[in-house]
Amino acid sequence: MTRNLYIYNTLTRSKELFKPIHEGAVGMYVCGPTVYGDAHLGHARPGITYDVLFRLFKHLGYKVRYVRNITDVGHLEHDADEGEDKIAKKARLEQLEPMEVVQFYTLRYHDAMKRLNVLPPSIEPRASGHIIEQIALVQKILDAGLAYISNGSVYFDVAKYNEAHHYGVLSGRNLEDTKEGTRALDGQSDKRSPMDFALWKKASPEHIMHWPSPWSEGFPGWHLECSAMSEKYLGETFDIHGGGMDLMFPHHECELAQNTASRGQGGVHYWMHNNMITINGQKMGKSLGNFITLDQLFTGDHKILEGAYSPMTVRFFILQAHYRSPLDFSNDALRAAEKGLKRILQAAKDLKGLQVSPGQTPSGEIVALKEKVYEALCDDLNTPIVLSHLFDGVRIINSVKDGSLTINQSDREILSGLFGDIMEGVLGLQDESGNEGSGKMIDGLVGMILDVRKSAKANKDWATSDRIRDSLQELGIRIKDTKEGCEWTIG
Ligand code: ZN
């Protein structure tokens, strides 16, 4: 922990020096996806932002426990007209078990994240797997006198909570703003005030996902799962809570209020929020016809896409903006990102074969460059500045390559560190063609070895033939002799 890391804390509205609760360890919780549909462009930004933070903490030597939940209960995603949650509706229409729908989209989400080179979190808890913890939490809030039961549902009493605490402390509003921002009760509601939010909802007969509770057969309120699961896996107080800006109110505000109501404290030291992605200046939405799934982005299969964009291009594009700044998606911006990515990856490749000049004095420029890269990274994850410094490195590499500049061994090592540990390790930018390339190389090598074995067999040199088979097997390559020749598989 030799470097100071500064993080913008939404709660205090200032950039603060990060001080972990436990020396050398970090606990971070990030709101994950609701798995009732395909992962879309909006999932890529928080996925990548908190992945960079996760990677950076590890790079700086911290032990990190990163918890990212899966919202699979589907509540509060009611269809306006039918009042039925989306997981339940899809399950009914397709005659599937709700968990089948959830599993399908969870796997698709994992696949998209993997392609974006987003590391899996340390723990990925599901809301539906933590109903017991959520019921216990509701009971605690009831015991504290800050919730009430109404017709089988349980609601958080916002006005009462606000007498001793500040409801709105995170999103920077007071109770009056909140009151004005909520719709009046329609007369059918069980709530005492429109500001109150559900901790437990009694399920209507058509609601398929429901669980028994002391109050009714029902399901937990959406905000509850994050309070329950973050406490379970990170403790009553933990370091970082992240998510998209769109979750700040009401989701995170309610979470903070639930934490305070049940344990006497907000529990989170640093609240972080990434800004949103717009598409050609517009908010992304199904009704606007600009809703792009990650799959469509990778294949180009959407009317507003002028082509397919690789996962690494999308990652690079997202890192080109600071996570707290808005980011506008357009085909031009993506094409520019594609070019930039190609240039930086080519330089990283060229760096490996770069000639060094012995006796050359070290250039202060490269030592300074390294400092600037770390400074930007530790300045609230300023990835656009990190990239601009890495492009200074690209210029140096290209000058050495074309012979207009020489560098010594130690400078080359610094550059290797920047492109290996930082570009690839922390920013997670990697050569996508590399995987295909090494796959081709393995095919070629195994093919060549099997040719040698074939001639050994033709010469009745069984010892060599068997040795090749056994050695390949030790490497995890199984071979099978067939009439046509020889087949092989890995694993
Ligand atoms: Zn959440």
Side-chain angles (χ1 to χ4, degrees):
M1 270 58 71
T2 47
R3 289 182 188 269
N4 284 341
L5 170 64
Y6 292 86
I7 287 176
Y8 182 85
N9 190 350
T10 310
L11 194 60
T12 57
R13 287 157 190 80
S14 61
K15 220 184 267 179
E16 294 175 20
L17 175 63
F18 176 73
K19 286 193 206 115
I21 295 169
H22 305 287
E23 178 75 31
V26 181
M28 58 189 266
Y29 185 93
V30 172
C31 292
T34 302
V35 282
Y36 61 74
D38 244 346
H40 52 79
L41 190 54
H43 286 119
R45 200 168 192 195
I48 289 166
T49 298
Y50 300 108
D51 182 57
V52 169
L53 184 65
F54 182 36
R55 288 165 177 265
L56 176 60
F57 275 129
K58 291 205 281 188
H59 178 68
L60 295 177
Y62 288 93
K63 187 172 180 294
V64 194
R65 183 180 293 164
Y66 175 17
V67 182
R68 189 185 64 206
N69 68 306
I70 294 277
T71 295
D72 60 353
V73 175
H75 40 239
L76 297 193
E77 293 295 343
H78 293 284
D79 257 313
D81 44 4
E82 288 165 71
E84 189 176 9
D85 86 48
K86 287 187 184 168
I87 291 175
K89 185 178 182 193
K90 191 161 169 54
R92 205 169 47 82
L93 294 179
E94 295 183 2
Q95 295 296 305
L96 296 168
E97 271 294 322
M99 279 300 152
E100 227 173 326
V101 178
V102 161
Q103 181 69 2
F104 177 79
Y105 288 118
T106 301
L107 293 177
R108 307 243 325 153
Y109 173 76
H110 286 166
D111 183 53
M113 288 300 123
K114 192 170 175 201
R115 294 186 72 184
L116 288 167
N117 200 20
V118 169
L119 298 173
S122 330
I123 304 178
E124 194 172 45
R126 292 178 173 210
S128 63
H130 296 77
I131 301 295
I132 292 169
E133 288 83 353
Q134 295 181 74
I135 289 175
L137 185 55
V138 174
Q139 192 56 57
K140 266 188 170 177
I141 300 172
L142 277 167
D143 292 345
L146 293 168
Y148 56 90
I149 305 164
S150 175
N151 193 25
S153 294
V154 184
Y155 295 97
F156 192 91
D157 190 337
V158 170
K160 182 129 190 246
Y161 171 82
N162 198 61
E163 287 169 14
H165 308 281
H166 176 186
Y167 181 76
V169 64
L170 182 65
S171 54
R173 45 185 96 193
N174 57 40
L175 206 62
E176 288 309 308
D177 304 334
T178 310
K179 247 181 215 164
E180 278 166 29
T182 43
R183 273 176 297 160
L185 293 177
D186 57 9
Q188 293 180 343
S189 176
D190 304 322
K191 291 191 215 176
R192 288 182 193 159
S193 156
M195 292 185 299
D196 297 347
F197 56 89
L199 298 175
W200 186 265
K201 280 286 273 178
K202 183 180 171 179
S204 50
E206 63 276 12
H207 206 106
I208 342 177
M209 292 178 102
H210 51 79
W211 295 265
S213 82
W215 315 288
S216 64
E217 186 75 22
F219 54 95
W222 171 40
H223 315 308
L224 201 66
E225 66 182 78
C226 292
S227 282
M229 297 190 289
S230 61
E231 183 180 350
K232 174 160 176 148
Y233 297 110
L234 297 171
E236 285 201 354
T237 54
F238 59 93
D239 298 294
I240 291 173
H241 193 311
M245 238 171 66
D246 54 335
L247 297 179
M248 196 192 299
F249 190 90
H251 184 55
H252 292 158
E253 197 70 73
C254 295
E255 210 183 310
L256 201 163
Q258 291 165 162
N259 294 356
T260 310
S262 62
R263 20 176 152 136
Q265 54 178 326
V268 178
H269 281 200
Y270 305 86
W271 283 92
M272 293 176 74
H273 292 96
N274 62 276
N275 212 315
M276 311 312 285
I277 294 183
T278 52
I279 297 180
N280 298 316
Q282 277 186 311
K283 215 182 145 191
M284 189 166 88
K286 284 203 169 116
S287 55
L288 293 167
N290 65 358
F291 188 89
I292 305 176
T293 68
L294 288 171
D295 214 41
Q296 288 169 330
L297 202 55
F298 302 155
T299 56
D301 181 22
H302 191 289
K303 64 179 179 356
I304 71 169
L305 296 173
E306 287 165 13
Y309 300 104
S310 77
M312 266 315 113
T313 301
V314 176
R315 187 164 178 123
F316 184 88
F317 165 71
I318 285 173
L319 294 175
Q320 273 182 317
H322 188 260
Y323 75 91
R324 287 192 287 118
S325 309
L327 175 59
D328 191 45
F329 171 96
S330 67
N331 284 291
D332 286 349
L334 259 289
R335 269 194 300 265
E338 200 169 62
K339 272 191 200 149
L341 176 71
K342 210 170 158 195
R343 246 184 97 218
I344 200 169
L345 291 177
Q346 185 57 48
K349 213 184 260 177
D350 292 341
L351 176 61
K352 288 182 183 138
L354 220 53
Q355 288 295 317
V356 292
S357 312
Q360 174 77 23
T361 47
S363 127
E365 194 191 351
I366 293 173
V367 175
L369 190 68
K370 178 181 169 182
E371 276 317 298
K372 285 192 260 182
V373 164
Y374 274 92
E375 206 177 292
L377 205 48
C378 293
D379 179 18
D380 193 30
L381 303 183
N382 203 334
T383 56
I385 302 292
V386 172
L387 284 173
S388 80
H389 292 318
L390 287 176
F391 276 103
D392 289 338
V394 170
R395 275 187 282 280
I396 293 169
I397 292 165
N398 290 342
S399 302
V400 175
K401 199 178 154 201
D402 72 21
S404 59
L405 192 73
T406 51
I407 56 166
N408 68 6
Q409 180 70 23
S410 98
D411 280 346
R412 196 182 78 172
E413 275 169 22
I414 294 175
L415 286 175
S416 298
L418 290 181
F419 284 83
D421 299 341
I422 303 301
M423 182 197 78
E424 198 174 336
V426 177
L427 299 185
L429 296 170
Q430 62 181 13
D431 192 348
E432 289 164 302
S433 61
N435 297 340
E436 281 164 38
S438 57
K440 267 185 209 148
M441 196 199 274
I442 290 171
D443 285 353
L445 286 171
V446 175
M448 192 177 82
I449 292 163
L450 292 178
D451 274 348
V452 174
R453 181 166 173 267
K454 197 174 161 190
S455 12
K457 280 171 89 174
N459 295 332
K460 300 197 164 25
D461 179 0
W462 310 117
T464 302
S465 157
D466 290 350
R467 206 176 74 223
I468 289 174
R469 184 197 61 210
D470 295 344
S471 302
L472 285 174
Q473 186 142 0
E474 270 171 40
L475 293 168
I477 298 168
R478 294 175 156 281
I479 62 175
K480 196 173 129 193
D481 292 305
T482 62
K483 270 185 208 150
E484 289 76 32
C486 184
E487 284 173 4
W488 63 276
T489 49
I490 295 183

